[in-house]
Amino acid sequence: MMNNQILDHNGNDIEIEAFHPGEFLLEEIEERGILKKDVASALHILPHHLSEIFAGKRNISAKLAVRLEKFLGISSRYWLGLQMECDLFIAKAEELSA
């Protein structure tokens, strides 16, 4: 079993927040110097939808993950894994606050 606990130098728990994969996507295309309109076109989505992904307001689907793999050469499993971890983090936080 994998332990997602993170400790500081004193051995105290550090709470981390999940990052939406859109943040990583934005970082990746900025690093590569790719225009956002070109990314949206290559992924067959509207530029507005791409902006919503960057903002974490729209999730990365399996279909989009496959397109990202084809366009960026980064595994679709990577993108879906990030999305799943983000979704689980949110679900657990909601369950704790219920």
Side-chain angles (χ1 to χ4, degrees), residues 13-29:
D13 282 335
I14 298 174
E15 283 195 41
I16 58 167
E17 294 211 14
F19 291 94
H20 189 275
E23 293 180 50
F24 292 104
L25 177 57
L26 177 60
E27 198 173 280
E28 185 67 32
I29 67 165

Side-chain angles (χ1 to χ4, degrees), residues 41-97:
S41 176
L43 299 177
H44 309 290
I45 61 174
L46 297 171
H48 176 70
H49 291 174
L50 183 61
S51 295
E52 288 178 342
I53 291 169
F54 293 152
K57 295 177 182 173
R58 184 178 287 263
N59 290 345
I60 292 180
S61 66
K63 187 179 283 191
L64 184 58
V66 169
R67 290 177 184 161
L68 283 167
E69 180 175 12
K70 185 177 177 183
F71 181 63
L72 296 174
I74 299 172
S75 165
S76 56
R77 292 183 183 276
Y78 171 81
W79 295 110
L80 285 179
L82 289 176
Q83 186 64 62
M84 183 187 67
E85 288 300 322
C86 182
D87 293 347
L88 281 171
F89 179 86
I90 292 167
K92 287 180 179 182
E94 287 172 353
E95 188 65 27
L96 286 174
S97 66

